[in-house]
Amino acid sequence: MEPQMLLRNPEIFPTNEVLKDALGDAVFCVLESFVETVTSENYGLTVEWRYYNDGKSWLGKVTYKQKTVFWLSVWAGFFKTSFFFKEKHLEAIAALPVSTQIKEEFCSAKLIGRLIPMIIEINKVEDIPDLLTIIRFKKKLK
């Protein structure tokens, strides 16, 4: 069965209550902990939820100062983070201490314009360390 993207109603802002209802308690706890971490002083990221008409859903745009670090979307049973990198970053990403699966999926991803997407599905706390490594890497890029 195809994964189902949630948060499709433009009238319903994704509050914590809405996110908890959509994801269920367990995955919401992972999301809540993750958002608390990346918005802490150590990471300094900001999450801005906005409804996008082109995709007909709410997305979280996660930024550091003016730079978009990744996009956050909510699905049935998990949430996704979507990063976008340039081809010149391939070697550095290959050297990151993250799972082989993330690297393999990234290397086989199709270009979107001149950018390579890195899409990671998260539904358990064990997925977070790799995600934080990628966030630290992306923040440092020029």
Side-chain angles (χ1 to χ4, degrees), residues 12-39:
I12 301 175
F13 185 84
T15 62
N16 278 349
E17 189 176 302
V18 169
L19 291 169
K20 189 174 186 175
D21 286 345
L23 290 167
D25 289 344
V27 178
F28 174 74
C29 285
V30 175
L31 175 63
E32 185 178 44
S33 172
F34 171 65
V35 169
E36 284 175 13
T37 300
V38 299
T39 57

Side-chain angles (χ1 to χ4, degrees), residues 3 8 32 36-37 49 54 57-58 60 71 81 86 93 95 99 116 122 125 128 131 138 141:
R8 298 287 200 169
E32 185 178 44
E36 284 175 13
T37 300
W49 287 98
D54 57 347
S57 68
W58 287 91
W71 295 87
T81 56
K86 295 180 180 171
I93 290 168
S99 79
I116 305 166
I122 307 292
V125 74
I128 301 300
L131 198 50
K138 177 77 183 217
L141 294 179

Side-chain angles (χ1 to χ4, degrees), residues 131-142:
L131 198 50
L132 295 175
T133 298
I134 295 162
I135 289 168
R136 287 190 296 274
F137 174 76
K138 177 77 183 217
K139 271 182 64 179
K140 292 178 188 174
L141 294 179
K142 300 283 181 217

